[in-house]
Amino acid sequence: MIGKTLLTSKEIDIILHRLACQLIENHNDFSNTVLIGLQPRGTYLMQRLEKILIENYQIKNLEVGLLDTTFYRDDFRRNDEPLKATPTKIDFLIENKEVVIVDDVLYSGRSVRAALTALQDFGRPKNIELLVLIDRRFSRHLPIQPNYRGRQVDVINEEKVIVYWKETHQKDEIYLVPKQAKID
């Protein structure tokens, strides 16, 4: 990989445990809280947090879901190729629940804005929070900030953050690469 390593596997693991502890501090037993991972890249982060919360901290009855925001985005008609949505899987109502949206990288804020719109189809939450692994400062197009962040990174627009998960790349690592870099 051409670029700078932002986080190693060990650092990611430490951050995931810290984020899980922060969630427990704010949501106790999760009896009125749901985690919703943004498809596709927030899925792995949400699943890792789910595993940590259940296995390490014995959180029972944790409700989790996956949300695709493809057709809720304000820029979805700007692509030359047809978009391919991933499945949304929310098997519960979010009415009057505490919702934590989970995504890997917060960049412009457009995905989160789309998620806020899409969530309206599942009820009216009591509260919505945002958890991200990487918060790219100085890149926001919308006034959206995370409640929980793994790491804040100052990135210029000619660079991008690439997140590798064991599930897809056989390793957990996060890189900062030039915008035109070829990614494997």
Side-chain angles (χ1 to χ4, degrees):
M1 173 64 60
I2 298 172
K4 175 184 175 189
T5 301
L6 291 178
L7 294 173
T8 64
S9 178
K10 183 176 181 176
E11 292 167 324
I12 291 169
D13 190 53
I14 291 167
I15 287 171
L16 292 178
H17 282 272
R18 177 177 49 82
L19 290 170
C21 288
Q22 289 175 340
L23 287 170
I24 292 168
E25 286 176 16
N26 291 332
H27 297 280
N28 293 322
D29 64 357
F30 289 76
S31 59
N32 196 43
T33 301
V34 300
L35 301 180
I36 298 181
L38 295 189
Q39 290 274 36
R41 295 179 311 274
T43 303
Y44 303 112
L45 176 57
M46 192 271 306
Q47 290 169 342
R48 293 284 186 86
L49 288 170
E50 176 186 22
K51 182 177 179 180
I52 291 168
L53 289 167
I54 292 170
E55 292 179 5
N56 293 49
Y57 300 103
Q58 288 71 50
I59 300 297
K60 307 275 189 250
N61 304 317
L62 181 62
E63 290 188 293
V64 297
L66 303 174
L67 180 65
D68 180 79
T69 62
T70 301
F71 299 112
Y72 291 92
R73 290 183 58 95
D74 59 2
D75 58 355
F76 86 93
R77 295 184 193 273
R78 294 178 183 215
N79 292 333
D80 293 333
E81 297 181 24
L83 295 174
K84 295 178 182 157
T86 50
T88 289
K89 184 181 182 286
I90 300 177
D91 300 332
F92 47 83
L93 293 176
I94 64 169
E95 191 72 32
N96 213 28
K97 297 267 187 169
E98 303 276 341
V99 174
V100 179
I101 297 172
V102 179
D103 204 5
D104 63 346
V105 178
L106 176 57
Y107 179 34
S108 68
R110 292 187 186 282
S111 293
V112 176
R113 195 234 22 105
L116 295 171
T117 302
L119 284 173
Q120 293 175 11
D121 292 345
F122 297 92
R124 183 177 181 200
K126 179 179 178 182
N127 188 39
I128 299 176
E129 296 179 330
L130 176 61
L131 180 149
V132 298
L133 186 57
I134 300 291
D135 176 12
R136 284 183 56 143
R137 287 194 327 163
F138 312 127
S139 302
R140 220 75 78 233
H141 298 172
L142 301 169
I144 293 174
Q145 299 299 322
N147 302 84
Y148 311 91
R149 71 173 54 89
R151 181 160 177 202
Q152 193 169 52
V153 180
D154 296 335
V155 179
I156 58 175
N157 286 334
E158 288 77 37
E159 298 173 311
K160 54 187 168 181
V161 175
I162 305 298
V163 179
Y164 282 172
W165 294 107
K166 282 183 214 169
E167 293 84 349
T168 56
H169 292 90
Q170 291 70 49
K171 62 181 174 181
D172 288 338
E173 286 189 317
I174 301 176
Y175 299 98
L176 181 62
V177 300
K179 192 172 191 174
Q180 305 305 325
K182 189 162 181 117
I183 301 162
D184 51 314

